[in-house]
Amino acid sequence: MKLRCLISLLSGISSLVASADSRLTVPLTFGGVRALAFSPDGTTVAGGLGKVTYTSNNVVTGVDAGGIVLWDPATGKIRSQLGPVGETVDGLAWTADGRRLLGLNSELGRVHVYDPSLSAPLRTLNSPDGALFVRVVSWGPAFAVSPDGRRVAVSGGLAENFGSLTALSAGSLTLWDIATGNLLWSQPNAGAQMITFAQGGATVVAFTQQVAWSLDGSGNLSGMISGQALEGWNAADGTRRFQAPMNGTNVSHLVTSPDGAEVLVLAGRRSGWHDPATGARTRPQPFPITASQGRVQLDRSGDRLLLTEASGSRVQLFQFSTGSALELLTITSIADRLRFTAVSPDFTRLAAIRFTSARLIDLPMPRIISRGESAEGLEFQVEAPAGTFSELRFRADLDSPWTAVQSVLPTTNRFVLRDNDPTHRTASAGFWQVYFQ
């Protein structure tokens, strides 16, 4: 069976990264940071800001703030700010070459396209049906930019009123040409919950579902989910390529492999890779996770996947080549939990909102170098930053006794952990855990 190793930092974020947690300067007037995104080269952090509304006697007298702020991650200082003033930006995406930045306003149903060197947007893309953009609560609006930077796909949701209550029903899936602002096609009532591009940007893949809303006898609003599916469309003209039913699957994210040949449908232990040409499942990829996930990002090699829990209490790094799950940050204090996270392209820094401040956090990077068997038993080679930890402890699962304890010298950064219990190699749990302390 394929074994996995879970690495957890017991000291937690408060003591572990206190010296590596720096503030990002925020504008004097702003309505909170609503989205974060590193540029592809890692030299800029973009932040989407909330607007500030001024009222007098319950009458709106003006709006301020909003727009986008660009930070220098080396200093934490503001490099520039982008308009328009008075509009909340709650979704951000860079094109792969870093020449364009897209800012989404889900309330007004529009996307602004920026040259990051200019303060005003180059053009604005408006939803064809005036829809509110669908938001996946754990990580933000459902929109995606093609890997070639030519197109942007956005999923809309229509407001449906039930007396004083409002629900969001399925709206259009729409594609625009980023360079011209032309609307390429729109698929009404698509119900796309999350979107990705595959096959070099030639195919749009979405997890879709329909929700029928109704009021019960007590005036409570409830929704009946149906028609869950993985769907694909030709990005050039909107022709549907496939519709693969996925009823009863709790999908949280879609992630495309770097070569565009596969799409990872993230659904906990039911996760798997799918063919973007047909929607067919090509291989399973179960994850030992049960909590809802927030930000998810695959590195450029396709070997490492970073996940931030929606609760903001944990950051994990999965490494496919070694079947290991590394718990990078564990946060126990509610005030310190992370929101609206973004990870640098090299996976060494995390931008996040902690309480009310914008932060840059250096990520510790222990990793499993290799896994195999020797004459002495099961063997893991582990690498960790020198002097960061004082002890390594190893066990087969949470209910097993410790099978290895090894002291760590301050100058050492590579360790070999061995377990000679043959029953562990066929254990049903299969999630190996190494704790750094």
Side-chain angles (χ1 to χ4, degrees), residues 385-406:
T388 305
F389 311 101
S390 61
E391 186 179 76
L392 290 169
R393 296 187 291 166
F394 178 47
R395 63 182 178 183
D397 55 58
L398 287 173
D399 299 321
S400 298
W402 297 108
T403 58
V405 178
Q406 178 175 339

Side-chain angles (χ1 to χ4, degrees), residues 132 157-169 213 215 219 221-222:
L132 299 173
L158 297 172
E160 191 173 353
N161 296 317
F162 295 84
S164 61
L165 302 176
T166 301
L168 201 63
S169 60
W213 297 98
L215 287 174
L221 186 62
S222 61

